[in-house]
Amino acid sequence: GRFYWTFPDQIWAIGDIGTPRVSSSNNIAANTQTATATFYLPSSYTANQHTIYYAGSNATAYNRVIIQKEQTQASPNTATHFGESGDCGTATATKQSNGEYEFVLTHKASYLCFWPRTSNTTLQNARLMKIEVIADGAIAGMYELSATGLSNAPVQSASSVITLNTGGTTGFALTNTIPDATTNAAFMVIAPGTHTLSINYWIKLQDGREGTVVQALDTKAFAANTLYDINCDLTIPN
C-alpha cells in the first residue's frame, strides 16, 4: 500500500511555547493526492527536532483519533476515505540548514484490504453493498495518540463492529472469479492489536434478494503501519 496526502489533511506540532498548534495551510490542492507536502505552522520552532502528529483529516486535537465505526468507500481500489476514517501517524521532524523541517510519517492505525471474488454462479453479477467486521474486542472509537502510537483501548465510544459501505446505493460489482482490485478491492481502518475477526459480506442479487456471506478469521496480531490482505471466495452452500 502507498499512502498519500489529500485535502484537507493537516498536521500538529508542539513548538517552543509548549502549546500544540495545527497547520494553518499547506500546498495540497483539492481533489489531488501527493506523496510529499509542505505544511505551514504558526508559533516558533527552534529545536533541532519536533514531534509531528497527524490525527486524521477532521481532527480537532493533536492527541485524539477517532476510528470510525461507519466508513464509506465510494469506488473500488481507493483509500481516499482513510483520512476521515481513522488514519493517523506521528513523525520526528528534523531541522534542515534552510530552517525548514522535514519528516516521514509513520502510520499508527492498522489497515485491511478485502479481495472479494466468487466462483458461485448464483452470486456472480451480484453487488457487494457493505462489509461488516465484528471483533472480539474494541476496534473502533476515540483513541489517544502519542508519539509511540494509539492507546491500547478507546478512551471513548468503543465499538467492536466496523461497517464499510461500498459504492453507495449501487455497491461494488461481484463479477470476478479471481481477485481483481479494479472490480471491488475495499479498504478499512481498524485499531491495532490482537483480534479475532468475523466478516459479513452483504450481497444484493440482481433480483433484489439480499443476504450475507460470513468469513471467520483466526486470531491474529494486527500491527500498526501495516496493510493486511483479506481474501475471500464468496459462496453459499445451497
Side-chain angles (χ1 to χ4, degrees):
R2 295 183 179 181
F3 287 84
Y4 297 92
W5 297 106
T6 58
F7 182 85
D9 281 337
Q10 55 190 4
I11 62 171
W12 301 69
I14 300 176
D16 297 340
I17 62 174
T19 302
R21 303 296 297 272
V22 65
S23 52
S24 56
S25 61
N26 57 60
N27 66 344
I28 306 171
N31 301 315
T32 64
Q33 59 183 24
T34 177
T36 60
T38 301
F39 295 89
Y40 303 90
L41 288 99
S43 191
S44 174
Y45 302 88
T46 58
N48 184 54
Q49 293 183 327
H50 288 277
T51 301
I52 299 295
Y53 298 86
Y54 171 68
S57 58
N58 298 322
T60 58
Y62 80 101
N63 60 349
R64 290 291 185 269
V65 172
I66 299 177
I67 297 180
Q68 301 288 351
K69 64 180 181 180
E70 287 278 344
Q71 303 177 22
T72 299
Q73 182 178 327
S75 56
N77 201 33
T78 177
T80 54
H81 60 291
F82 270 10
E84 62 190 29
S85 298
D87 187 20
C88 58
T90 63
T92 299
T94 303
K95 193 173 186 178
Q96 307 299 301
S97 59
N98 61 1
E100 297 179 350
Y101 289 82
E102 291 187 359
F103 67 90
V104 176
L105 194 73
T106 300
H107 295 264
K108 298 301 183 181
S110 189
Y111 312 89
L112 306 181
C113 176
F114 301 94
W115 297 85
R117 65 190 189 279
T118 185
S119 55
N120 187 289
T121 55
T122 301
L123 295 184
Q124 282 181 346
N125 298 315
R127 308 295 295 188
L128 176 64
M129 305 306 296
K130 61 183 178 181
I131 300 173
E132 183 181 53
V133 173
I134 304 171
D136 58 339
I139 53 174
M142 178 181 287
Y143 290 80
E144 184 175 359
L145 176 65
S146 67
T148 58
L150 293 173
S151 55
N152 291 330
V155 296
Q156 188 177 324
S157 306
S159 176
S160 61
V161 181
I162 296 178
T163 300
L164 175 66
N165 299 295
T166 51
T169 58
T170 59
F172 289 171
L174 189 59
T175 55
N176 51 310
T177 57
I178 61 174
D180 186 348
T182 59
T183 299
N184 51 30
F187 297 87
M188 178 184 289
V189 182
I190 69 169
T194 300
H195 308 303
T196 304
L197 303 181
S198 177
I199 305 170
N200 293 332
Y201 298 86
W202 290 78
I203 308 299
K204 187 173 184 178
L205 302 182
Q206 288 183 309
D207 60 12
R209 286 182 294 165
E210 296 183 74
T212 60
V213 176
V214 180
Q215 179 186 22
L217 302 182
D218 294 333
T219 302
K220 182 180 179 66
F222 294 88
N225 200 40
T226 308
L227 179 70
Y228 293 89
D229 292 321
I230 309 293
N231 290 281
C232 186
D233 184 1
L234 303 179
T235 187
I236 51 179
N238 295 291

